[in-house]
Amino acid sequence: MNLVTVSGPPSSGKTSVILKTIKALEERGIKTGVVKFDCLYTDDDKLYARENIPVIKGLSGSLCPDHFFVSNIEEVVQWGRKLGLDMLITESAGLCNRCSPYIRDIKAVCVIDNLSGINTPRKIGPMLKTADIVVITKGDIVSQAEREVFAARVSAVNPEAMVMHINGLTGQGAYEFSTLLYDEETDIETVRGKRLRFSTPSAMCSYCLGETVIGEEYQLGNVKKINLGDGND
Amino acid sequence: MEMINKKELAALSIKEILEAYPYTESFFREQQFPLDMPELTIRERHRKLSMDEREDLVLSAEEFLEQLSLFISNMQEFLGEGKEEVESLTLLPGRDKDSNRENYEKITIRKGEIVSIVGPTGSGKSRLLADIEWVADADTPTGRIVLINEKKGDKKWRLSGTRKLVAQLSQNMNFVMDLTVEEFLYLHAESRLVENEKELVERIIVQANELAGEKFSRNTPVTSLSGGQSRALMIADTAILSSSPIILIDEIENAGIDREKALKLLVGEEKIVLMATHDPILALMADRRIVINNGGIINVLETSAEEKEILKELQLMDERLNMMRNALRYGKQLDSGKMPVRQFSCL
């Protein structure tokens, strides 16, 4: 089974891109399933189910979604193998822009959209910097100039990545993208022992453990303060 | 220029790198690598990064050096690419949705030429455009082959972030940046690393104003341009500043813009223009038109002399309509005596 991890900021078009891509994969007889990681709520699993795509939904609730991802990835890989999938795609939203649910030696895709603004490539850090393929969406609604500037900035942040434009509505580019994903030779039996490409966001403070009161004396553990520029940082 | 490897970069100070490769400044900026101690080498400066700065940079010093050398080689390739111009685009037949072979032997479009694409909605226009964008090599659902300069296309077009074969102009496009016209154009010019920035920006502003029905100033925010002005600016910018040799147009709406001038500008800049349209004027303005149905190209027609005559009729009707629109807008009453009837003032 092939394994591909897809991530990207919320509403960047991940689900649309994956749906169109799976259609192209299925035309080639490649059986594909999806694991959708999200925080509090998602309906996207229904979109996959409607297309008869095997899907599992995982909500992280009050946990950091990346920590949730790492703690569950091996189990979902086994789920995919049990179903006899040729390819398993994990989809996770980068909610704090610090996410990077990518695993070494496992194909990593970052989906970002032209509407998010030209400074976004700089803002989203490891999720973009450590991806193998960057998919840029919503190119049909911004000007050609903005597409070019945006793509140039993506390449400055991650010069190694392959950069593609996909239209999530018409599917233009999705077939081509699908040919980059599947590799007949690859068979992932387990991800146990593999490493993440970059550490997940870290936080271990009193508020992680349920504290709700504001005030210095309630702040314990990994606490970081804003530099207000008055010299006492 | 010589390719520089990681080892050589590691020996240089940040200042020396910036002097030798000025465009790396944007790389440092996008990577959030501080430039405050330019006399240090990358490794030395990296060692002094705080925990937070390391977190923002993501990369280790070695990874950063690798990415930097890759960025420089990408840029050198990008800058040196003027040598290898795209002179022509050729399509070789594939199959339609029912696996029938397409009805043509070979279609070659040279730079400076306009070809329109006609066909009902869902007939496969998007697929054709995607085949061209991907430089298809019998590896897409249609099985078409796309040649560049009569040769198998270089696959580098497929996945480069800095240079794409195809620029697209479509109906739904909008400007989304909070910048003035001038700032916007400089930003685009900067990403292209052109040398004569100022000259190009000026030319775009002049040309866009010639295309637009209503003039606009360089200080207008791009987001407050009217529909016609936006399209005029997008077309002038794509013609003059886009890195892509092929332009795919999805319809040009007939309001607030001189479409004929717009097409002339694009082909005048030595672009290959493909235009999907349902509008008879645009379809006939092209030298040839590709007719597409059921996923396949069913015919390639030359625009006949008779059609060129009909085009003149259509343009006249178009002009009449425009005059009436303008007259009504400015509070006039329509007067049939003042409408153009048979003379082609606009040609």
Side-chain angles (χ1 to χ4, degrees), chain B residues 37-59:
Chain B
M37 299 176 211
E39 67 288 350
L40 300 185
T41 66
I42 301 278
R43 284 186 187 134
E44 287 163 353
R45 184 65 190 92
H46 195 279
R47 238 171 273 139
K48 289 184 192 289
L49 291 176
S50 69
M51 281 296 282
D52 285 349
E53 284 170 328
R54 271 176 210 207
E55 171 87 19
D56 286 341
L57 181 65
V58 177
L59 309 173

PDB file of all heavy atoms in Angstrom, chain B residues 37-59:
ATOM      1  N   MET B  37      23.707  40.090  10.775  1.00  0.00           N
ATOM      2  CA  MET B  37      25.160  39.941  10.946  1.00  0.00           C
ATOM      3  C   MET B  37      25.776  39.432   9.648  1.00  0.00           C
ATOM      4  O   MET B  37      26.212  38.274   9.563  1.00  0.00           O
ATOM      5  CB  MET B  37      25.470  38.973  12.082  1.00  0.00           C
ATOM      6  CG  MET B  37      24.944  39.433  13.434  1.00  0.00           C
ATOM      7  SD  MET B  37      25.264  38.169  14.688  1.00  0.00           S
ATOM      8  CE  MET B  37      23.872  38.421  15.762  1.00  0.00           C
ATOM      9  N   PRO B  38      25.827  40.297   8.646  1.00  0.00           N
ATOM     10  CA  PRO B  38      26.216  39.848   7.300  1.00  0.00           C
ATOM     11  C   PRO B  38      27.658  39.377   7.192  1.00  0.00           C
ATOM     12  O   PRO B  38      28.008  38.688   6.236  1.00  0.00           O
ATOM     13  CB  PRO B  38      25.979  41.088   6.422  1.00  0.00           C
ATOM     14  CG  PRO B  38      25.964  42.240   7.356  1.00  0.00           C
ATOM     15  CD  PRO B  38      25.492  41.727   8.675  1.00  0.00           C
ATOM     16  N   GLU B  39      28.484  39.721   8.171  1.00  0.00           N
ATOM     17  CA  GLU B  39      29.891  39.320   8.053  1.00  0.00           C
ATOM     18  C   GLU B  39      30.089  37.834   8.419  1.00  0.00           C
ATOM     19  O   GLU B  39      31.135  37.251   8.142  1.00  0.00           O
ATOM     20  CB  GLU B  39      30.794  40.234   8.895  1.00  0.00           C
ATOM     21  CG  GLU B  39      30.635  40.136  10.397  1.00  0.00           C
ATOM     22  CD  GLU B  39      29.323  40.754  10.920  1.00  0.00           C
ATOM     23  OE1 GLU B  39      28.580  41.434  10.159  1.00  0.00           O
ATOM     24  OE2 GLU B  39      29.035  40.547  12.103  1.00  0.00           O
ATOM     25  N   LEU B  40      29.065  37.218   9.017  1.00  0.00           N
ATOM     26  CA  LEU B  40      29.188  35.806   9.408  1.00  0.00           C
ATOM     27  C   LEU B  40      28.855  34.878   8.242  1.00  0.00           C
ATOM     28  O   LEU B  40      28.187  35.276   7.288  1.00  0.00           O
ATOM     29  CB  LEU B  40      28.225  35.496  10.563  1.00  0.00           C
ATOM     30  CG  LEU B  40      28.427  36.285  11.855  1.00  0.00           C
ATOM     31  CD1 LEU B  40      27.478  35.758  12.932  1.00  0.00           C
ATOM     32  CD2 LEU B  40      29.868  36.200  12.344  1.00  0.00           C
ATOM     33  N   THR B  41      29.299  33.634   8.345  1.00  0.00           N
ATOM     34  CA  THR B  41      28.863  32.632   7.377  1.00  0.00           C
ATOM     35  C   THR B  41      27.502  32.100   7.823  1.00  0.00           C
ATOM     36  O   THR B  41      27.060  32.359   8.946  1.00  0.00           O
ATOM     37  CB  THR B  41      29.843  31.440   7.302  1.00  0.00           C
ATOM     38  OG1 THR B  41      29.802  30.767   8.568  1.00  0.00           O
ATOM     39  CG2 THR B  41      31.265  31.902   7.009  1.00  0.00           C
ATOM     40  N   ILE B  42      26.876  31.324   6.952  1.00  0.00           N
ATOM     41  CA  ILE B  42      25.570  30.757   7.295  1.00  0.00           C
ATOM     42  C   ILE B  42      25.663  29.914   8.571  1.00  0.00           C
ATOM     43  O   ILE B  42      24.858  30.052   9.483  1.00  0.00           O
ATOM     44  CB  ILE B  42      25.046  29.865   6.142  1.00  0.00           C
ATOM     45  CG1 ILE B  42      24.908  30.680   4.850  1.00  0.00           C
ATOM     46  CG2 ILE B  42      23.756  29.162   6.529  1.00  0.00           C
ATOM     47  CD1 ILE B  42      23.664  31.483   4.719  1.00  0.00           C
ATOM     48  N   ARG B  43      26.686  29.057   8.612  1.00  0.00           N
ATOM     49  CA  ARG B  43      26.803  28.173   9.790  1.00  0.00           C
ATOM     50  C   ARG B  43      27.006  28.979  11.073  1.00  0.00           C
ATOM     51  O   ARG B  43      26.406  28.676  12.101  1.00  0.00           O
ATOM     52  CB  ARG B  43      27.961  27.190   9.614  1.00  0.00           C
ATOM     53  CG  ARG B  43      27.615  26.056   8.661  1.00  0.00           C
ATOM     54  CD  ARG B  43      28.736  25.038   8.623  1.00  0.00           C
ATOM     55  NE  ARG B  43      28.469  24.049   7.593  1.00  0.00           N
ATOM     56  CZ  ARG B  43      29.372  23.630   6.707  1.00  0.00           C
ATOM     57  NH1 ARG B  43      30.597  24.112   6.742  1.00  0.00           N
ATOM     58  NH2 ARG B  43      29.055  22.742   5.799  1.00  0.00           N
ATOM     59  N   GLU B  44      27.858  30.016  10.967  1.00  0.00           N
ATOM     60  CA  GLU B  44      28.125  30.831  12.170  1.00  0.00           C
ATOM     61  C   GLU B  44      26.856  31.540  12.649  1.00  0.00           C
ATOM     62  O   GLU B  44      26.544  31.557  13.832  1.00  0.00           O
ATOM     63  CB  GLU B  44      29.205  31.884  11.858  1.00  0.00           C
ATOM     64  CG  GLU B  44      30.595  31.297  11.735  1.00  0.00           C
ATOM     65  CD  GLU B  44      31.574  32.247  11.040  1.00  0.00           C
ATOM     66  OE1 GLU B  44      31.144  33.321  10.537  1.00  0.00           O
ATOM     67  OE2 GLU B  44      32.758  31.896  10.972  1.00  0.00           O
ATOM     68  N   ARG B  45      26.124  32.102  11.692  1.00  0.00           N
ATOM     69  CA  ARG B  45      24.909  32.819  12.081  1.00  0.00           C
ATOM     70  C   ARG B  45      23.861  31.851  12.618  1.00  0.00           C
ATOM     71  O   ARG B  45      23.134  32.163  13.552  1.00  0.00           O
ATOM     72  CB  ARG B  45      24.353  33.599  10.876  1.00  0.00           C
ATOM     73  CG  ARG B  45      23.116  34.465  11.198  1.00  0.00           C
ATOM     74  CD  ARG B  45      23.468  35.580  12.184  1.00  0.00           C
ATOM     75  NE  ARG B  45      22.301  36.280  12.706  1.00  0.00           N
ATOM     76  CZ  ARG B  45      21.668  35.936  13.823  1.00  0.00           C
ATOM     77  NH1 ARG B  45      22.057  34.871  14.527  1.00  0.00           N
ATOM     78  NH2 ARG B  45      20.626  36.647  14.251  1.00  0.00           N
ATOM     79  N   HIS B  46      23.824  30.676  12.002  1.00  0.00           N
ATOM     80  CA  HIS B  46      22.840  29.680  12.438  1.00  0.00           C
ATOM     81  C   HIS B  46      23.085  29.280  13.889  1.00  0.00           C
ATOM     82  O   HIS B  46      22.144  29.111  14.662  1.00  0.00           O
ATOM     83  CB  HIS B  46      22.887  28.451  11.521  1.00  0.00           C
ATOM     84  CG  HIS B  46      21.695  27.552  11.657  1.00  0.00           C
ATOM     85  ND1 HIS B  46      21.575  26.623  12.665  1.00  0.00           N
ATOM     86  CD2 HIS B  46      20.544  27.458  10.932  1.00  0.00           C
ATOM     87  CE1 HIS B  46      20.418  25.986  12.553  1.00  0.00           C
ATOM     88  NE2 HIS B  46      19.771  26.480  11.514  1.00  0.00           N
ATOM     89  N   ARG B  47      24.356  29.162  14.248  1.00  0.00           N
ATOM     90  CA  ARG B  47      24.689  28.779  15.620  1.00  0.00           C
ATOM     91  C   ARG B  47      24.169  29.800  16.628  1.00  0.00           C
ATOM     92  O   ARG B  47      23.866  29.472  17.757  1.00  0.00           O
ATOM     93  CB  ARG B  47      26.213  28.630  15.749  1.00  0.00           C
ATOM     94  CG  ARG B  47      26.622  27.247  16.223  1.00  0.00           C
ATOM     95  CD  ARG B  47      28.127  27.072  16.126  1.00  0.00           C
ATOM     96  NE  ARG B  47      28.524  26.602  14.820  1.00  0.00           N
ATOM     97  CZ  ARG B  47      29.591  27.043  14.144  1.00  0.00           C
ATOM     98  NH1 ARG B  47      30.354  27.993  14.648  1.00  0.00           N
ATOM     99  NH2 ARG B  47      29.882  26.545  12.970  1.00  0.00           N
ATOM    100  N   LYS B  48      24.090  31.063  16.203  1.00  0.00           N
ATOM    101  CA  LYS B  48      23.658  32.135  17.122  1.00  0.00           C
ATOM    102  C   LYS B  48      22.136  32.303  17.169  1.00  0.00           C
ATOM    103  O   LYS B  48      21.627  33.188  17.861  1.00  0.00           O
ATOM    104  CB  LYS B  48      24.279  33.470  16.691  1.00  0.00           C
ATOM    105  CG  LYS B  48      25.776  33.554  16.937  1.00  0.00           C
ATOM    106  CD  LYS B  48      26.265  34.958  16.573  1.00  0.00           C
ATOM    107  CE  LYS B  48      27.770  35.052  16.521  1.00  0.00           C
ATOM    108  NZ  LYS B  48      28.395  34.979  17.857  1.00  0.00           N
ATOM    109  N   LEU B  49      21.405  31.515  16.372  1.00  0.00           N
ATOM    110  CA  LEU B  49      19.941  31.679  16.379  1.00  0.00           C
ATOM    111  C   LEU B  49      19.362  31.275  17.733  1.00  0.00           C
ATOM    112  O   LEU B  49      19.833  30.320  18.355  1.00  0.00           O
ATOM    113  CB  LEU B  49      19.301  30.801  15.290  1.00  0.00           C
ATOM    114  CG  LEU B  49      19.551  31.174  13.837  1.00  0.00           C
ATOM    115  CD1 LEU B  49      18.924  30.122  12.915  1.00  0.00           C
ATOM    116  CD2 LEU B  49      18.985  32.555  13.504  1.00  0.00           C
ATOM    117  N   SER B  50      18.321  31.999  18.160  1.00  0.00           N
ATOM    118  CA  SER B  50      17.649  31.619  19.396  1.00  0.00           C
ATOM    119  C   SER B  50      16.769  30.409  19.117  1.00  0.00           C
ATOM    120  O   SER B  50      16.534  30.051  17.962  1.00  0.00           O
ATOM    121  CB  SER B  50      16.772  32.782  19.883  1.00  0.00           C
ATOM    122  OG  SER B  50      15.689  32.956  19.000  1.00  0.00           O
ATOM    123  N   MET B  51      16.253  29.800  20.144  1.00  0.00           N
ATOM    124  CA  MET B  51      15.367  28.647  19.983  1.00  0.00           C
ATOM    125  C   MET B  51      14.181  29.011  19.090  1.00  0.00           C
ATOM    126  O   MET B  51      13.798  28.255  18.198  1.00  0.00           O
ATOM    127  CB  MET B  51      14.837  28.186  21.356  1.00  0.00           C
ATOM    128  CG  MET B  51      15.823  27.368  22.156  1.00  0.00           C
ATOM    129  SD  MET B  51      16.205  25.805  21.317  1.00  0.00           S
ATOM    130  CE  MET B  51      14.718  24.871  21.729  1.00  0.00           C
ATOM    131  N   ASP B  52      13.615  30.188  19.354  1.00  0.00           N
ATOM    132  CA  ASP B  52      12.439  30.603  18.584  1.00  0.00           C
ATOM    133  C   ASP B  52      12.778  30.806  17.118  1.00  0.00           C
ATOM    134  O   ASP B  52      12.019  30.438  16.233  1.00  0.00           O
ATOM    135  CB  ASP B  52      11.849  31.903  19.149  1.00  0.00           C
ATOM    136  CG  ASP B  52      11.094  31.643  20.449  1.00  0.00           C
ATOM    137  OD1 ASP B  52      10.882  30.456  20.754  1.00  0.00           O
ATOM    138  OD2 ASP B  52      10.747  32.621  21.131  1.00  0.00           O
ATOM    139  N   GLU B  53      13.951  31.423  16.889  1.00  0.00           N
ATOM    140  CA  GLU B  53      14.343  31.655  15.502  1.00  0.00           C
ATOM    141  C   GLU B  53      14.582  30.334  14.764  1.00  0.00           C
ATOM    142  O   GLU B  53      14.243  30.192  13.593  1.00  0.00           O
ATOM    143  CB  GLU B  53      15.602  32.536  15.448  1.00  0.00           C
ATOM    144  CG  GLU B  53      15.294  34.001  15.742  1.00  0.00           C
ATOM    145  CD  GLU B  53      16.553  34.846  15.931  1.00  0.00           C
ATOM    146  OE1 GLU B  53      17.564  34.311  16.435  1.00  0.00           O
ATOM    147  OE2 GLU B  53      16.496  36.028  15.585  1.00  0.00           O
ATOM    148  N   ARG B  54      15.150  29.380  15.486  1.00  0.00           N
ATOM    149  CA  ARG B  54      15.359  28.063  14.867  1.00  0.00           C
ATOM    150  C   ARG B  54      14.045  27.417  14.508  1.00  0.00           C
ATOM    151  O   ARG B  54      13.888  26.785  13.472  1.00  0.00           O
ATOM    152  CB  ARG B  54      16.091  27.137  15.842  1.00  0.00           C
ATOM    153  CG  ARG B  54      17.560  27.265  15.678  1.00  0.00           C
ATOM    154  CD  ARG B  54      18.296  26.443  16.666  1.00  0.00           C
ATOM    155  NE  ARG B  54      19.539  27.150  16.895  1.00  0.00           N
ATOM    156  CZ  ARG B  54      20.663  26.581  17.266  1.00  0.00           C
ATOM    157  NH1 ARG B  54      20.677  25.293  17.490  1.00  0.00           N
ATOM    158  NH2 ARG B  54      21.736  27.295  17.423  1.00  0.00           N
ATOM    159  N   GLU B  55      13.102  27.580  15.404  1.00  0.00           N
ATOM    160  CA  GLU B  55      11.756  27.042  15.206  1.00  0.00           C
ATOM    161  C   GLU B  55      11.145  27.647  13.933  1.00  0.00           C
ATOM    162  O   GLU B  55      10.563  26.952  13.109  1.00  0.00           O
ATOM    163  CB  GLU B  55      10.933  27.398  16.442  1.00  0.00           C
ATOM    164  CG  GLU B  55       9.468  27.128  16.355  1.00  0.00           C
ATOM    165  CD  GLU B  55       9.109  25.715  16.771  1.00  0.00           C
ATOM    166  OE1 GLU B  55       9.906  25.056  17.455  1.00  0.00           O
ATOM    167  OE2 GLU B  55       8.022  25.281  16.374  1.00  0.00           O
ATOM    168  N   ASP B  56      11.318  28.967  13.759  1.00  0.00           N
ATOM    169  CA  ASP B  56      10.756  29.633  12.581  1.00  0.00           C
ATOM    170  C   ASP B  56      11.471  29.205  11.299  1.00  0.00           C
ATOM    171  O   ASP B  56      10.869  29.087  10.250  1.00  0.00           O
ATOM    172  CB  ASP B  56      10.866  31.160  12.710  1.00  0.00           C
ATOM    173  CG  ASP B  56       9.855  31.702  13.708  1.00  0.00           C
ATOM    174  OD1 ASP B  56       8.872  30.984  13.997  1.00  0.00           O
ATOM    175  OD2 ASP B  56      10.055  32.831  14.206  1.00  0.00           O
ATOM    176  N   LEU B  57      12.772  28.996  11.416  1.00  0.00           N
ATOM    177  CA  LEU B  57      13.545  28.651  10.221  1.00  0.00           C
ATOM    178  C   LEU B  57      13.283  27.217   9.779  1.00  0.00           C
ATOM    179  O   LEU B  57      13.344  26.906   8.591  1.00  0.00           O
ATOM    180  CB  LEU B  57      15.043  28.847  10.508  1.00  0.00           C
ATOM    181  CG  LEU B  57      15.966  28.539   9.343  1.00  0.00           C
ATOM    182  CD1 LEU B  57      15.733  29.521   8.205  1.00  0.00           C
ATOM    183  CD2 LEU B  57      17.422  28.576   9.771  1.00  0.00           C
ATOM    184  N   VAL B  58      12.956  26.352  10.737  1.00  0.00           N
ATOM    185  CA  VAL B  58      12.694  24.933  10.494  1.00  0.00           C
ATOM    186  C   VAL B  58      13.950  24.151  10.093  1.00  0.00           C
ATOM    187  O   VAL B  58      14.199  23.068  10.588  1.00  0.00           O
ATOM    188  CB  VAL B  58      11.593  24.713   9.413  1.00  0.00           C
ATOM    189  CG1 VAL B  58      11.406  23.227   9.135  1.00  0.00           C
ATOM    190  CG2 VAL B  58      10.289  25.339   9.849  1.00  0.00           C
ATOM    191  N   LEU B  59      14.766  24.713   9.206  1.00  0.00           N
ATOM    192  CA  LEU B  59      15.878  23.969   8.641  1.00  0.00           C
ATOM    193  C   LEU B  59      17.132  24.058   9.512  1.00  0.00           C
ATOM    194  O   LEU B  59      17.388  25.071  10.152  1.00  0.00           O
ATOM    195  CB  LEU B  59      16.211  24.524   7.260  1.00  0.00           C
ATOM    196  CG  LEU B  59      15.047  24.666   6.292  1.00  0.00           C
ATOM    197  CD1 LEU B  59      15.497  25.393   5.034  1.00  0.00           C
ATOM    198  CD2 LEU B  59      14.476  23.313   5.940  1.00  0.00           C
TER     199      LEU B  59
END
